Amino acid sequence: MQQGSVQLELPRPTGPYAVGVGTLHLTDWDRTDPWVPSAGPRQLSVSMFYPARHDTGEPAPYMTLGEAQGFVATRIPPGTGVQPQDVMAIKTYAYTDAKAASGKFPLVVLSPGFENPRATLTSLATDLASHGYVVALVGHTYEDSGETLADGSTPGCTLCAGGAPDTLPDSRAKDVSFVLDRLTGHHPAWRLAHLSDRDRIGMAGHSAGGESALTAMAEDQRILAGVNMDGQFDPPVPADKLQGRAFLLLGKQSDHSAGGGETSWGKTWAGWDGYKPWLAVAGASHASFTDVPILGAEIGLPVPPGMTTSPARGAQLTREYVGAFFDQTLKGIHQPLLDGPSSANPEVLFQHP
């Protein structure tokens, strides 16, 4: 294939640890794939990020070639000159075969938005790992531009033509519980499973992944804290199923301000008993909580309408507030950043319905 020439890079992680990464291919033999039953049991690919020792391992690709081909074909406008090799070669600051740091770390599951491959949450995943988290970034097969499976195939988005079905959050909750089973059970699938503290588990997701985080928490008591990044709740999850566990709402101001036109956050938030900060980011777009605007800016794509917060700033705020939330809820370290408005971050508006 033609060699690309675009140099793309994610923000550097901000924590003290280097970041290692490996890929798990998991098969749920007890569950037929909900979207393509003819494919047999549900198969998932999961990127495992972890705190590592500096100067070990080799630079990790952003995606496999098959994933990059699907991403370029479906998610990048034509005429940019971006080749799949350019996407594979995005600098992630994560390293394959890196030596693990010593210790035991909280486990955070990440779930991407509908149609977005799991790699689009890499910036958040690497930053969390650099601050002392094990991160399981889940690819939900047949729901995005492509996830490479154990046999080397990269099936695309079976669901995209018809849109996300109402059962998507329930299916993703099952995906997440299965992944947790395989990471924390008596015979874990990951060779570095000893790094994960099975008693300190959180989940964050973007868009459909954020909605699914609440559904997963409602169905799986192991998840102690959740984050919804700019995803609606439809239908609402019964609030009593959270049983006082913490949940962060982090979204763009234009949709997700208290009393605004998008009402699912207010209706859901009102029924929660636990710690439930609600933050609206002025000038953000729906994609601001992912890698997509950063990569778009680097290849010269126009800024989405209404987006005045720069892509780099969006990534910084996402990392800071999601990281602070998990530091407070999973590590028990009080975070003044979450106490109220900050002069350093005037874009972040604390909502008080």
Side-chain angles (χ1 to χ4, degrees), residues 251 253 280-284 309-310 313-314 317 342-350:
Q253 181 191 20
V281 183
T309 297
S310 73
R313 180 66 170 158
L317 293 173
S342 165
S343 59
N345 299 330
E347 309 96 324
V348 181
L349 309 174
F350 281 67

Side-chain angles (χ1 to χ4, degrees), residues 15-53:
Y17 293 100
V19 180
V21 66
T23 303
L24 280 180
H25 297 290
L26 304 175
T27 301
D28 187 349
W29 298 102
D30 297 324
R31 181 181 172 220
T32 300
D33 191 279
W35 315 131
V36 184
S38 61
R42 180 70 163 161
Q43 297 184 67
L44 298 172
S45 295
V46 183
S47 296
M48 297 299 305
F49 296 84
Y50 57 93
R53 301 179 190 177

Side-chain angles (χ1 to χ4, degrees), residues 197-263:
D197 185 343
R198 67 186 65 185
D199 295 321
R200 294 186 292 168
I201 298 174
M203 179 178 173
H206 172 247
S207 194
E211 178 183 358
S212 300
L214 181 58
T215 306
M217 284 185 70
E219 300 301 325
D220 195 322
Q221 298 295 314
R222 292 174 293 185
I223 305 172
L224 302 182
V227 180
N228 180 354
M229 298 181 292
D230 214 55
Q232 296 185 20
F233 295 119
D234 184 30
V237 172
D240 59 354
K241 284 198 170 186
L242 281 190
Q243 298 179 338
R245 286 170 289 165
F247 203 93
L248 168 67
L249 294 172
L250 177 66
K252 63 182 186 294
Q253 181 191 20
S254 56
D255 277 352
H256 291 129
S257 296
E262 201 293 289
T263 61

